Amino acid sequence: MLKKSYELTGNELNWAVAQARGLLVNNEMPVGYNPVGDTATAGPFMDEYNPELMPSDDGNGNVSYSCVVLFDYGNTVFGSSWREAICRSIVTTVSGHDIDVPDGLN
């Protein structure tokens, strides 16, 4: 199913990150691969991609993040967490805005 990279969440985004990083085997991501929800998995992206993360608060205590991967200033993306923002940024930078994700991931 074709989706915009900035709309991906959960397992669809995890799958798209695995694809962008060349980790898919038979179109399947590694078992337990969860950079969207796991700081231990997403943390190394900070050194590898050198992102610029900017938190913002809507005034009601809801924080979201914008992210730009520093070698691709043309793609600013947003996420509800810093992990979601950097994952969307990686996918957009490497794979583009239109991602064909398998059905049934979320």
Side-chain angles (χ1 to χ4, degrees):
M1 173 183 305
L2 199 61
K3 293 200 170 185
K4 296 293 184 188
S5 57
Y6 56 83
E7 296 174 336
L8 295 173
T9 61
N11 280 332
E12 289 179 338
L13 183 53
N14 288 330
W15 180 90
V17 172
Q19 179 191 46
R21 295 179 50 79
L23 300 176
L24 297 181
V25 176
N26 296 323
N27 212 32
E28 302 264 332
M29 66 182 154
V31 173
Y33 190 71
N34 183 17
V36 175
D38 179 30
T39 300
T41 304
F45 298 164
M46 300 299 282
D47 290 330
E48 185 174 345
Y49 293 96
N50 196 21
E52 182 177 304
L53 288 165
M54 307 264 297
S56 63
D57 186 329
D58 69 359
N60 294 317
N62 299 311
V63 177
S64 63
Y65 292 83
S66 64
C67 181
V68 176
V69 173
L70 295 182
F71 56 80
D72 185 12
Y73 280 105
N75 290 310
T76 300
V77 297
F78 299 89
S80 61
S81 69
W82 69 267
R83 292 179 308 276
E84 185 176 81
I86 193 171
C87 286
R88 285 179 176 168
S89 188
I90 291 166
V91 170
T92 302
T93 299
V94 175
S95 304
H97 293 282
D98 298 312
I99 309 300
D100 191 12
V101 296
D103 292 333
L105 284 177
N106 264 352

